[in-house]
Amino acid sequence: MSTVLEGRCLCGAIRFEIRAPMVKFSHCHCSQCRKGHGAAFASYGRTRRKDLYILSGKERIKAYASSESVRREFCADCGTSLFWSGNSPEMADWISVALGTIDTPFAAPGVR
């Protein structure tokens, strides 16, 4: 896997890099992820917040508290679901990235 992963939203207004390997890959099929992605499940990889760099469009990122414990972030222009994070102390340093937004080829262990 490349040490730097590049990603963007559908319209390209928001571009980002992940500058460390992601961990904890998953397919979530909770009702919120299904609705937020418009699909049967959403695929995510987790990274430390310090390793996620927004290169452009930071002002276009909008947030929504989908529950008391989860905050979802998306592009205000095209609606692309980008990130989610939990507000518990153990999740403070982590953010989950929607794998479909990553442009750099990579292999996520256990996710096919």
Side-chain angles (χ1 to χ4, degrees), residues 82-103:
L82 297 165
F83 319 114
W84 78 265
S85 54
N87 60 14
S88 64
E90 62 270 7
M91 289 295 292
D93 294 333
W94 297 94
I95 190 164
S96 293
V97 179
L99 295 180
T101 63
I102 297 172
D103 295 324

Side-chain angles (χ1 to χ4, degrees), residues 6-18 22 32-33 36-37 42-47 49 52-64 70-85 94-103:
E6 297 177 2
R8 63 185 168 90
C9 65
L10 180 62
C11 70
I14 299 165
R15 295 185 176 278
F16 62 89
E17 287 182 351
I18 301 169
M22 287 190 297
Q32 292 178 3
C33 283
H37 276 33
S43 300
Y44 294 102
R46 190 177 294 168
T47 191
R49 288 181 185 277
L52 176 65
Y53 293 83
I54 306 300
L55 303 177
S56 65
K58 187 172 187 173
E59 71 284 355
R60 304 306 313 145
I61 297 174
K62 299 299 178 195
Y64 169 69
V70 173
R71 172 186 160 107
R72 297 175 187 276
E73 296 177 81
F74 59 94
C75 175
D77 294 332
C78 66
T80 298
S81 177
L82 297 165
F83 319 114
W84 78 265
S85 54
W94 297 94
I95 190 164
S96 293
V97 179
L99 295 180
T101 63
I102 297 172
D103 295 324

